[in-house]
Amino acid sequence: MSTADRETVTGVPPGIAAAREELTPMLSQYAELCATHEDAIVLFQVGDFYEAFCEAAEAVARVCEVTLTERSDSTGDYPMAGIPIDNAASYLEALLDAGYRVAIGDQVEDAEAASGLVDRAVTEVITPGTVVEDDLLESGTTNYVAAVTREGPAAGDDHDSAPTLGLAAVDVATGECLVTAGDPGTVAEELDRIAPAEVIVGPGIDDSGRDDLGHDDPAADLDRAPVGFDPAAGDPDRTVHGHDPAVFDRSAALGRLEPYVSAPERRFGGDAELRAAGAVLAYAEYTQGDDGPLEYVSRVRRYDPRDRLRLDAAAQRSLELFENRGLGASDTLFDVLDSTNCALGRRCLERWLRRPLVDAEAIRSRHDAVGELADRTLVREGIGDALATAYDLERLVGRVSRGRADARDLRSLHATLAVVPELKATLAAGGDGGEDEEGEDLLRTDHLRALSDRLDELAEVRELIDSAIATDPPQEITEGGVIRAGFDDDLDALRSTEREGREWIADLEASERERTGIDSLSVGHNQVHGYYIEVTDANLDRVPDDYRRRQTLKNSERYYTPALKEREEEIVGAAERADSLEYELFVEVRDRVAEETERVQALADALAELDALASLASVAVANDYVRPEVVDDPDAGIEIEGGRHPVVERTEDSFVPNDADLPRGSIAVITGPNMSGKSTYMRGVALSVVLAQVGSFVPAQAARLPVFSRLFTRVGASDDIAGGQSTFMREMSELTEILHDAGPDSLVLLDEVGRGTATTDGRAIARAAAEFVHDELGATTLFATHYHDLTDLAAERERAFNLHFTATRESGEVTFLHRVVPGASSSSYGVEVAELAGVPAPVVERSRDLVAETDSDAETAPDAEITSDAENESDTETSPDAEDVSLREFLAEEEAEDLPAIEPADAPAPDSDAESGVEQSGDSTGDLPPSVATELRELDLARTTPIEALNALHDLQNRLENHDG
């Protein structure tokens, strides 16, 4: 939704603004709230509904699909639409999805106690990134709002260089706050990693020089040079807008940060970080009602992006870490790993996967813990059983600290705290191994022992809640029933008075029937007249003298007695005082719990980590993962035995494991048929690296892995039509980032580079990129391609080698073996894959004819060089019949002088004993080393492609030369 569209329904409605001086008190109050929250639709409490007026009402009616009504008074007619307060969540969600921010204007005084107009105030501004209501948040997820600003230019700065940007993000529901800085590319990458739902941008980020409300922004002259940064680039659905420029000011940021961190000017690395942190916290306070600092935001953490494995949006997308691009929406790496038992663990596991470790010792420490939990079934299952009953402590304590928790929230907090002693007992005595000399079952790893020590039981908080709050309290905290009997003597006395009065009234009906002789007499109560004694008209002559008339009905009269009136006053008075006292006591208990917010948050961190580790252990056991050996040798490469793709293996009936041996800085050129498994293989290797650095075991028989600092991918074809990028332009943009930023500590996946343009151009780009990666970057690279001439790199570059996926063909039927082997392939079986995909038979047959014609023309062209299949191909795939050419015919046409000649089996060798009259046998391999002779005899020429044969012959030749030497 555009800013212009939003402005027509936010702020003071034009119709109301025109009659501002003549408005009724209620509409005037509504206009005041709209004026102070110009960026949001104001929903104004009127009784049991939230109402909007004029243009805002029309938007609410349209988006929420509610009836548009009208309010009329002496100043005019005003459209009006409302949503029920008790069922507001779904309507609020619809407004957020439509791109609106919503200001909730609640009644902040008791309507019955108010004299005149009920006072109202905006208690909360609901935006996509600052939602705190459980009904609007998915369990176990994070929901960040972020702020981005830029470093102020200093004298002598080079304005042509990339500016430093500050990034701060806060999860308003849990109180987590992250702060960092970097160049535009780094900050864009961090936004993709954090994935905020909403971003506010400071002066200089949007060079339009105007804030979100259209106000002139003088601070935008900070530096009008383009920053090359789009906050919404990684997620088009992300809400991005400006905010009050004053909150990005350095002095304002310092003042804002002082309640959250000590010495903020020394805490942060630079001006941009400090101003971004101050701005995002100011915005968070604004959305929560501007009631001052959010005391539960106690974990303001500055971090360096280089301290984690950097995964940009392209890598997360192509590796399908959190989102599957195909039909199986739940088939992601996170879904494979997520066997967590509570929301805390799920959120922790997601953080780990978004930000894998780069410190080898820290990685090995997590592996230690996962390994112990994998080995100790009872401990692992005990952790799972206990945490399955735990609530989301982070969100609970956030509500407690904000003063928005009800009695049920406190009971949920108590239930979670009650889990902690059980967990500590489970960790102290797992019962399945690891006993010390005295027979006590002990934890073996430092990591788990440290976690156990962090499990703060908070016994005093648990006891306070248990003694104060009723076991099953009502949701409403102002109407009694929330405080447990015995907690407060005064409350108990009031409740006793109320209870005794009600018991007296309960007995009154029987005693009055007996006293008056009126069998139909009844005692009742209503909200208007209170308690009464009802007598039918037929018995009015028997009414005692002490009865006082209260109400006349059609067929009866209602009375009260002085004794009943006295009891009623006692009951009502005691009940009102008890309800008021209960509320006061509840708030006091809630405030005492809020004082322990930091301890509760620390416990939540420990529970989250324990759950995440147990999840990784459960997945390792269930899926037969192995602990990788993590080495921090800068020269170590990737060694995987029997590696598998963790997601694909779950969706297929069978999976063919493959090895990976990639020396550090090498480039593996991978060829083979379509659908043979090249992309799956590459992604599987990358996912093993990610899993290992998360702290997980990996899907393999064995693995020895280095620690990478960055992981890049250029995989798959996609466009960005809205952003004006074609598929090829998108591909080149991703390639550009890799070629600029990758280095020796990077793992790079390149899949079909150059396929989005003409064959000649694409082949040239692919080869040049591969050479640049090898020669200049030194990144460990997997390069899958159908440009088969790129396999020449293995002969031209020291650290390049070829791999290919095998296939067999019998009677025209192609079988993909999904097995990777050394060497290069010559055919992509494109026509066969088209046939398997269901392309109509006439198209398939015509394709075969065209390929055959192309091959025939190439063979009969005068003085034509015989080239590889890749050099003969156009935009169609290589002819599947090309490999049917005999090896002898292929070699006869090769002009390369260094290839070994193959003589007929009955031809005498030039230096053989045939020249001296010695009779030869029919086998010409007699003088060869036995192993070479055996391999040559077993070479199946009918099933060997020309390139495979060349590789085999080169290998045999080298072995012969070594043997002769």
Side-chain angles (χ1 to χ4, degrees):
M1 180 182 59
S2 69
T3 301
D5 291 338
R6 183 167 57 245
E7 287 174 355
T8 62
V9 297
T10 60
V12 181
I16 289 180
R20 188 75 179 266
E21 301 301 322
E22 302 173 358
L23 294 174
T24 62
M26 191 184 79
L27 283 180
S28 180
Q29 190 182 60
Y30 173 75
E32 290 175 6
L33 296 184
C34 290
T36 55
H37 294 83
E38 291 183 298
D39 59 346
I41 289 179
V42 173
L43 292 182
F44 190 75
Q45 184 180 359
V46 181
D48 294 331
F49 282 80
Y50 285 131
E51 301 284 357
F53 299 91
C54 298
E55 289 80 3
E58 294 170 358
V60 169
R62 182 182 65 256
V63 173
C64 299
E65 299 182 353
V66 296
T67 302
L68 184 67
T69 59
E70 190 173 81
R71 179 183 181 89
S72 300
D73 60 30
S74 59
T75 63
D77 301 326
Y78 304 99
M80 181 173 72
I83 61 175
I85 293 176
D86 289 342
N87 189 31
S90 60
Y91 299 105
L92 293 174
E93 185 174 13
L95 289 169
L96 291 178
D97 290 343
Y100 294 106
R101 280 162 275 176
V102 182
I104 302 297
D106 281 315
Q107 295 177 180
V108 292
E109 69 173 328
D110 188 349
E112 295 181 0
S115 57
L117 182 67
V118 178
D119 192 20
R120 294 175 177 86
V122 170
T123 58
E124 181 181 7
V125 179
I126 302 175
T127 74
T130 61
V131 175
V132 295
E133 288 78 7
D134 279 351
D135 290 343
L136 298 176
L137 290 172
E138 183 181 349
S139 176
T141 61
T142 53
N143 190 60
Y144 291 108
V145 58
V148 179
T149 190
R150 66 187 301 171
E151 194 91 41
D157 278 356
D158 179 6
H159 289 271
D160 292 331
S161 63
T164 297
L165 303 185
L167 168 65
V170 62
D171 184 340
V172 181
T174 67
E176 180 187 25
C177 184
L178 305 172
V179 184
T180 192
D183 58 48
T186 298
V187 170
E189 189 176 295
E190 287 306 299
L191 278 176
D192 294 334
R193 189 198 305 267
I194 294 171
E198 182 179 6
V199 180
I200 60 171
V201 294
I205 298 298
D206 176 6
D207 59 12
S208 67
R210 304 181 72 82
D211 67 19
D212 189 46
L213 305 179
H215 300 153
D216 288 333
D217 180 6
D221 288 328
L222 174 73
D223 188 351
R224 289 300 186 94
V227 298
F229 172 76
D230 179 4
D235 181 3
D237 295 329
R238 184 179 297 154
T239 299
V240 179
H241 57 87
H243 190 53
D244 182 2
V247 303
F248 289 92
D249 179 74
R250 178 181 175 84
S251 59
L254 279 171
R256 185 77 60 179
L257 286 167
E258 285 177 354
Y260 296 94
V261 296
S262 58
E265 69 278 6
R266 296 197 302 271
R267 179 75 172 268
F268 298 103
D271 174 74
E273 284 184 2
L274 186 148
R275 292 190 296 113
V280 79
L281 289 171
Y283 185 71
E285 291 177 12
Y286 159 72
T287 63
Q288 300 308 300
D290 275 330
D291 290 332
L294 306 177
E295 296 180 358
Y296 66 101
V297 181
S298 58
R299 297 172 293 172
V300 180
R301 299 168 179 167
R302 179 178 178 268
Y303 73 96
D304 188 333
R306 293 170 297 183
D307 292 340
R308 294 291 187 269
L309 174 63
R310 295 172 64 180
L311 295 159
D312 61 13
Q316 292 186 44
R317 184 172 57 248
S318 60
L319 294 178
E320 299 179 335
L321 300 186
F322 302 100
E323 182 179 357
N324 188 293
R325 296 181 296 168
L327 297 178
S330 64
D331 295 330
T332 67
L333 182 63
F334 182 72
D335 292 314
V336 171
L337 296 182
D338 184 17
S339 288
T340 55
N341 293 279
C342 65
L344 295 168
R346 189 176 192 275
R347 198 154 48 239
C348 176
L349 186 62
E350 181 182 348
R351 281 197 299 268
W352 287 0
L353 188 53
R354 289 190 185 278
R355 306 179 68 232
L357 300 169
V358 294
D359 180 83
E361 283 302 316
I363 294 170
R364 285 191 281 264
S365 180
R366 277 192 193 166
H367 287 163
D368 288 343
V370 171
E372 179 167 1
L373 291 175
D375 290 342
R376 305 178 73 172
T377 304
L378 294 181
V379 174
R380 185 177 71 251
E381 292 180 349
I383 291 171
D385 291 343
L387 291 177
T389 63
Y391 291 86
D392 193 336
L393 275 187
E394 289 181 314
R395 290 183 181 173
L396 281 174
V397 78
R399 289 199 292 276
V400 170
S401 181
R402 292 194 304 275
R404 297 183 183 178
D406 57 31
R408 293 181 181 180
D409 288 331
L410 292 188
R411 291 305 308 188
S412 296
L413 177 58
H414 172 271
T416 305
L417 295 179
V419 165
V420 179
E422 180 183 347
L423 278 173
K424 291 180 74 73
T426 298
L427 291 172
D432 52 340
E435 294 184 349
D436 67 4
E437 294 179 356
E438 298 179 358
E440 295 183 358
D441 207 356
L442 300 177
L443 293 171
R444 300 192 298 266
T445 62
D446 292 339
H447 198 114
L448 287 181
R449 283 196 292 269
L451 262 182
S452 181
D453 292 341
R454 288 165 53 194
L455 294 178
D456 185 352
E457 296 187 25
L458 287 154
E460 64 279 15
V461 173
R462 189 172 75 250
E463 291 168 1
L464 171 64
I465 295 173
D466 195 38
S467 63
I469 306 300
T471 304
D472 186 19
Q475 189 165 5
E476 182 57 56
I477 59 176
T478 60
E479 298 178 1
V482 299
I483 299 297
R484 187 190 286 270
F487 179 72
D488 183 84
D489 292 342
D490 292 340
L491 178 62
D492 289 345
L494 289 171
R495 289 302 185 204
S496 178
T497 299
E498 179 187 3
R499 183 172 58 256
E500 290 171 359
R502 294 186 189 280
E503 290 173 353
W504 183 87
I505 288 175
D507 295 336
L508 180 63
E509 184 175 297
S511 63
E512 286 301 299
R513 283 183 178 182
E514 182 178 352
R515 181 166 78 96
T516 63
I518 303 173
D519 292 338
S520 61
L521 180 148
S522 63
V523 175
H525 178 270
N526 64 36
Q527 295 294 330
V528 176
H529 296 100
Y531 289 100
Y532 56 82
I533 301 170
E534 185 170 331
V535 179
T536 60
D537 290 346
N539 295 293
L540 293 181
D541 58 339
R542 302 165 72 179
V543 171
D545 292 339
D546 60 342
Y547 276 28
R548 304 289 186 266
R549 182 175 282 103
R550 168 159 279 177
Q551 183 182 14
T552 299
L553 302 179
K554 182 178 181 180
N555 297 312
S556 63
E557 294 284 342
R558 288 178 176 174
Y559 301 91
Y560 69 91
T561 66
L564 177 59
K565 184 68 173 177
E566 182 181 352
R567 287 290 186 175
E568 180 180 27
E569 291 174 354
E570 287 181 0
I571 293 169
V572 173
E576 289 178 351
R577 293 196 300 275
D579 289 348
S580 178
L581 180 56
E582 273 208 46
Y583 179 73
E584 292 175 7
L585 292 170
F586 172 78
V587 171
E588 180 183 335
V589 170
R590 186 172 63 188
D591 290 345
R592 288 168 62 185
V593 173
E595 293 173 359
E596 304 297 339
T597 292
E598 291 191 29
R599 287 178 64 191
V600 176
Q601 288 175 331
L603 171 63
D605 287 341
L607 295 178
E609 185 173 350
L610 189 59
D611 194 22
L613 290 169
S615 178
L616 294 179
S618 297
V619 171
V621 172
N623 297 338
D624 195 24
Y625 289 2
V626 66
R627 174 174 179 161
E629 178 187 353
V630 175
V631 292
D632 45 11
D633 181 352
D635 297 325
I638 294 174
E639 300 175 25
I640 299 175
E641 180 183 341
R644 314 185 306 273
H645 190 295
V647 180
V648 175
E649 72 169 346
R650 291 205 318 172
T651 62
E652 300 294 330
D653 294 334
S654 62
F655 189 92
V656 178
N658 276 297
D659 298 343
D661 189 353
L662 307 172
R664 193 63 164 254
S666 65
I667 178 168
V669 179
I670 307 172
T671 53
N674 290 300
M675 295 180 60
S676 60
K678 299 189 298 297
S679 294
T680 298
Y681 174 73
M682 293 168 60
R683 288 185 175 100
V685 171
L687 289 176
S688 287
V689 169
V690 171
L691 286 171
Q693 293 187 216
V694 163
S696 170
F697 286 13
V698 301
Q701 295 175 6
R704 187 174 188 270
L705 301 171
V707 176
F708 290 100
S709 63
R710 298 196 69 172
L711 196 159
F712 297 92
T713 64
R714 159 71 297 274
V715 176
S718 62
D719 55 29
D720 181 10
I721 299 301
Q725 289 190 327
S726 66
T727 299
F728 183 65
M729 187 63 181
R730 182 75 171 264
E731 175 187 335
M732 290 300 100
S733 297
E734 293 177 0
L735 180 62
T736 298
E737 182 176 353
I738 294 171
L739 299 183
H740 277 294
D741 297 339
D745 291 332
S746 301
L747 176 62
V748 175
L749 272 59
L750 297 173
D751 193 358
E752 302 302 336
V753 169
R755 296 294 290 181
T757 188
T759 302
T760 303
D761 292 348
R763 182 186 292 114
I765 292 170
R767 187 178 190 90
E771 292 174 351
F772 186 84
V773 169
H774 180 281
D775 299 345
E776 303 295 333
L777 303 181
T780 306
T781 306
L782 292 162
F783 196 130
T785 183
H786 284 294
Y787 294 132
H788 296 281
D789 53 333
L790 263 64
T791 58
D792 294 346
L793 285 171
E796 299 173 3
R797 295 297 193 274
E798 177 185 0
R799 297 188 311 279
F801 61 97
N802 292 320
L803 298 173
H804 75 280
F805 278 80
T806 55
T808 63
R809 176 176 19 215
E810 292 185 8
S811 303
E813 296 290 331
V814 176
T815 301
F816 302 119
L817 303 181
H818 305 294
R819 176 72 67 186
V820 65
V821 296
S825 174
S826 66
S827 180
S828 296
Y829 296 93
V831 177
E832 284 76 3
V833 172
E835 185 175 22
L836 288 173
V839 172
V843 176
V844 172
E845 293 306 318
R846 177 60 176 156
S847 299
R848 288 199 174 103
D849 292 342
L850 291 172
V851 171
E853 290 175 11
T854 302
D855 290 345
S856 177
D857 290 344
E859 291 175 3
T860 58
D863 302 322
E865 282 192 39
I866 304 301
T867 59
S868 71
D869 291 337
E871 292 169 330
N872 281 331
E873 70 180 358
S874 61
D875 286 342
T876 61
E877 295 292 349
T878 307
S879 168
D881 297 326
E883 68 176 15
D884 290 338
V885 179
S886 72
L887 180 62
R888 192 185 309 277
E889 291 171 339
F890 179 85
L891 294 178
E893 294 172 342
E894 282 292 332
E895 297 180 2
E897 295 180 357
D898 60 340
L899 295 179
I902 296 183
E903 297 294 336
D906 57 352
D911 298 325
S912 70
D913 290 340
E915 295 182 0
S916 59
V918 179
E919 184 178 352
Q920 301 296 308
S921 70
D923 186 353
S924 62
T925 62
D927 294 332
L928 296 176
S931 62
V932 175
T934 300
E935 189 166 339
L936 188 57
R937 289 192 193 97
E938 294 177 352
L939 188 61
D940 189 351
L941 300 184
R943 297 181 181 274
T944 305
T945 66
I947 295 296
E948 290 171 340
L950 289 175
N951 290 330
L953 292 175
H954 274 298
D955 179 62
L956 291 172
Q957 184 182 37
N958 291 333
R959 287 161 61 185
L960 285 172
E961 290 173 352
N962 293 335
H963 180 267
D964 291 341

